[in-house]
Amino acid sequence: MIKAAFFDIDWTLYDHRSKRWIPSGIEAIKKLKENGVKVFLCSARPYDSQYLFGVFDLGIDWDGYIASAGAIAVVGEKTIRKQLMDVSDAKKMCDKMRQLGKVCEVVMPKGRFMTGPSDEYVEAYTGVYWYILPPVKPYEGEETTGLLLFLPQELDETVHSVCPNLAWFRFHEAAVDVSPVIHKKGEAIEDVLSYLGRKKEEAISFGDDYKDISMAEHTGIFVCMGNGKEEVKAAATYVTKRVEEDGIEHALKRFGLI
């Protein structure tokens, strides 16, 4: 019996091609919640980005969320997982980016800020992803789960060499995620289930991209959207229809959950 469900946001709940939340998926999650299943967001987006994106305004009474690809996990009002970057590492990276004339986004457990104004790399990134840029201010030792660097690939080695101990994940030609460790959504799910007193076999998860693969290891059922990456499909328990083809609703019905 499934007792908890975890949902990625981009290309799972939200279709960037048509720029809309898929109504059938939203209604299906509401029905799932009515059937007694706890529902959680599970995204690479930090909390602030999730909030501004409007995912908490969909009429779904979320039981909690996982943010920053697993660095943060919250159940109700309680933070049960928080992986932070060492302040000295964050400062070194921000200083190096400033020396190169580049900007980065500092991601905090609840908020975000940019270390400089938008430039061509920020614009290249925001041209692909729906994104509201946060305020601009210098880094002053704030608690951070990681940094989003806006820079070309040819500068990767130069910047990474400043703190080679940090995890480095380039996911866009103009953007790189930097974190103290490789954050994993699956590990955050494990913490949530442990907190709830539930086993992995009592959970289902939905995703589409590389960072969703770890969800498969920590939930009894992992559903990949039909528009997902081939490697993610290979890790899935079940490959459903595409996001715009009512993939979430189809899978929840397929497993008899709604």
Side-chain angles (χ1 to χ4, degrees):
M1 179 82 64
I2 296 298
K3 297 295 184 180
F6 300 83
F7 298 90
D8 176 46
I9 296 175
D10 298 277
W11 297 107
T12 300
L13 290 175
Y14 187 85
D15 177 26
H16 286 275
R17 183 174 300 171
S18 62
K19 300 186 184 305
R20 68 189 182 113
W21 302 99
I22 301 302
S24 64
I26 304 306
E27 293 306 311
I29 295 173
K30 290 179 183 178
K31 291 178 183 177
L32 188 66
K33 173 83 175 178
E34 290 172 0
N35 289 343
V37 177
K38 292 187 179 298
V39 295
F40 297 85
L41 292 164
C42 190
S43 176
R45 288 178 178 265
Y47 168 79
D48 184 61
S49 177
Q50 294 183 25
Y51 176 80
L52 293 174
F53 200 23
V55 73
F56 295 105
D57 299 320
L58 297 173
I60 298 171
D61 184 16
W62 298 104
D63 290 285
Y65 63 86
I66 290 168
S68 298
I72 300 293
V74 174
V75 179
E77 298 295 323
K78 185 176 178 59
T79 299
I80 64 167
R81 179 182 176 89
K82 184 164 66 171
Q83 292 181 315
L84 299 176
M85 181 180 290
D86 187 85
V87 170
S88 63
D89 285 343
K91 187 177 186 306
K92 289 176 186 177
M93 295 297 282
C94 289
D95 287 347
K96 186 62 176 181
M97 290 290 284
R98 187 182 68 252
Q99 292 169 12
L100 294 171
K102 300 293 183 289
V103 301
C104 62
E105 178 183 87
V106 177
V107 179
M108 299 178 290
K110 278 283 189 178
R112 301 172 296 141
F113 61 87
M114 299 286 285
T115 59
S118 179
D119 61 15
E120 62 181 300
Y121 300 103
V122 176
E123 291 175 2
Y125 176 78
T126 57
V128 174
Y129 295 93
W130 187 98
Y131 213 70
I132 294 179
L133 294 176
V136 175
K137 67 177 292 296
Y139 177 69
E140 299 175 324
E142 290 86 353
E143 202 173 61
T144 176
T145 58
L147 306 172
L148 176 58
L149 312 184
F150 298 99
L151 78 167
Q153 190 166 353
E154 55 264 29
L155 290 179
D156 281 9
E157 185 174 349
T158 298
V159 179
H160 195 191
S161 64
V162 174
C163 292
N165 56 299
L166 297 179
W168 187 273
F169 178 64
R170 176 170 285 280
F171 64 97
H172 184 270
E173 61 182 11
V176 177
D177 268 329
V178 179
S179 54
V181 296
I182 298 177
H183 297 310
K184 292 186 177 182
K185 292 183 178 183
E187 292 180 357
I189 288 175
E190 182 177 358
D191 284 355
V192 170
L193 293 177
S194 177
Y195 180 80
L196 294 174
R198 297 297 181 185
K199 300 177 181 178
K200 62 176 282 186
E201 292 78 15
E202 296 177 291
I204 186 173
S205 57
F206 288 75
D208 71 289
D209 213 337
Y210 299 121
K211 286 202 171 183
D212 299 325
I213 292 177
S214 68
M215 297 166 77
E217 304 168 19
H218 297 276
T219 54
I221 301 171
F222 171 58
V223 178
C224 179
M225 307 303 289
N227 48 276
K229 301 285 196 309
E230 291 305 314
E231 294 89 338
V232 187
K233 291 179 179 178
T237 309
Y238 179 69
V239 178
T240 188
K241 296 181 179 180
R242 297 176 59 86
V243 57
E244 75 274 18
E245 296 174 345
D246 307 317
I248 288 179
E249 179 187 47
H250 175 79
L252 290 177
K253 286 183 175 179
R254 160 69 174 73
F255 287 101
L257 297 175
I258 59 173

